Amino acid sequence: MFELIEDQITKFKKIVFVTGAGISQESGIPTFRGNDGLWRNYDAMKLATIDAFYDNPKLVWEWYNERRRNIFQAKPNSGHIAIAELEKYAEVVVLTQNIDGLHQKSGSSKVLELHGSIVKIKCSVCDYREEILTEITNLPPLCKCGNILRPDVVWFGESLPQDVWQNAMNFASKCDLMIIAGTSLVVSPANTLPIYAKQNNATLIEINPENTTMSGEMNLEIRKTSAESLPKLVS
Ligand code: BV8
Ligand code: ZN
């Protein structure tokens, strides 16, 4: 399938990537559900929720701090870089479930962070927002309005930002090539994006060493490989 892509890359004008934790695995950031899984030591559904944060803000804040420290050290890998380089050949949009900012760091210019960003924090009462670029506090900082600030990420049971989701669906339904890289496609609504592309007769490619749930249902053409294979796209 990659051979097909390599000699036809110029044919594709609107390329959309849907990425997940697997694309950052080679940058040393654990995935969510793999055996290196981030969730392994914690129960995702327990920590990545607003209830968990209000029940135990210190624990949830520390969990994000641990990930923040790891992400601040992480560098984009050749998969991120290959995606950024594709912008020389076509319009490329990255719809990522990741909150690590590595696509932007690798030079991708059009990235939609479907689930937010680990450097951003916000107040859940007023609309105050800020970024954490270096200094990591042990406890969630207080907002000027007196409430604690929380990670500006989408937790389970929370809706994705309306504008981000609308744009993501729009890009997915207008692309001629969708490459799904490094995601188990377990989490909705992000896992519905390949359906929008398929409905628009886009070519679908999945880069994942495993089969994923949606692949079967949508007979996605599976490319069993790691994110390392992405560089072939631009060689
Ligand atoms: C919503 C941000 C409407 C925070 C994340 C029952 C109860 C409650 C809710 C639900 C339910 N059933 C369904 C739902 C909806 C729920 C959901 O989908 N739950 C799942 C668990 C079933 N979704 C939501 O709640 C969403 N909101 O639906 O709003 C609504 C409103 C109110 C009430 C209900 C609904 C919000 C979802 C967003 C959650 N936030 N993250 C944070 O990061 O801390 S999700 C989290 O999972 C990350 O964003 C992560 O990216 C994402 C998806 O995981 P993956 O990225 O796919 O990672 P994973 O480890 O799973 O897979 C990695 C893959 O990479 C593997 O396939 C592996 O093989 C592959 N891989 C590994 N190495 C490589 C590789 N591939 C290539 N190369 C390699 N080297
Ligand atoms: Zn506030």
Side-chain angles (χ1 to χ4, degrees), residues 2 206-210 223-230 232:
F2 255 65
E206 188 171 34
I207 298 178
N208 194 322
E210 285 169 3
R223 168 78 187 180
K224 294 204 182 317
T225 178
S226 77
E228 292 298 334
S229 69
L230 274 171
K232 287 207 190 75

Side-chain angles (χ1 to χ4, degrees), residues 74-110:
K75 295 210 174 4
N77 62 52
S78 51
H80 296 108
I81 294 165
I83 293 173
E85 303 238 320
L86 266 183
E87 292 188 9
K88 291 181 211 154
Y89 305 95
E91 183 195 313
V92 178
V93 176
V94 180
L95 310 177
T96 188
Q97 299 168 88
N98 298 342
I99 62 174
D100 58 32
L102 290 180
H103 283 298
Q104 296 90 320
K105 267 192 197 156
S106 63
S108 283
S109 59
K110 240 192 209 154

Side-chain angles (χ1 to χ4, degrees), residues 31-201:
T31 63
F32 282 78
R33 296 168 187 81
N35 48 19
D36 67 337
L38 199 61
W39 301 130
R40 208 166 32 121
N41 317 331
Y42 305 92
D43 177 346
M45 297 308 269
K46 288 216 173 55
L47 280 186
T49 64
I50 188 90
D51 298 343
F53 184 66
Y54 282 116
D55 283 354
N56 190 338
K58 188 167 177 308
L59 174 70
V60 175
W61 186 258
E62 274 167 2
W63 184 53
Y64 280 90
N65 274 349
E66 199 183 301
R67 295 168 65 192
R68 230 186 293 281
R69 287 191 194 92
N70 187 16
I71 286 169
F72 283 174
Q73 310 297 327
K75 295 210 174 4
N77 62 52
S78 51
H80 296 108
I81 294 165
I83 293 173
E85 303 238 320
L86 266 183
E87 292 188 9
K88 291 181 211 154
Y89 305 95
E91 183 195 313
V92 178
V93 176
V94 180
L95 310 177
T96 188
Q97 299 168 88
N98 298 342
I99 62 174
D100 58 32
L102 290 180
H103 283 298
Q104 296 90 320
K105 267 192 197 156
S106 63
S108 283
S109 59
K110 240 192 209 154
V111 179
L112 292 189
E113 292 176 312
L114 303 175
H115 294 160
S117 162
I118 198 146
V119 296
K120 293 181 181 150
I121 55 177
K122 68 178 182 182
C123 177
S124 23
V125 175
C126 73
D127 55 3
Y128 179 73
R129 282 175 154 73
E130 70 176 55
E131 290 200 352
I132 302 180
L133 297 171
T134 45
E135 192 246 349
I136 293 183
T137 56
N138 286 338
L139 286 172
L142 283 186
C143 176
K144 294 177 293 227
C145 75
N147 286 289
I148 52 174
L149 297 176
R150 55 161 279 184
D152 191 358
V153 296
V154 180
W155 277 328
F156 289 105
E158 294 185 321
S159 303
L160 279 60
Q162 191 60 23
D163 55 335
V164 172
W165 181 239
Q166 285 300 332
N167 284 331
M169 285 190 290
N170 200 17
F171 283 122
S173 42
K174 294 210 169 76
C175 68
D176 51 8
L177 171 63
M178 176 175 276
I179 300 182
I180 301 133
T183 175
S184 59
L185 290 173
V186 160
V187 171
S188 66
N191 64 1
T192 61
L193 290 166
I195 298 170
Y196 291 99
K198 191 113 185 105
Q199 284 167 347
N200 184 47
N201 297 321

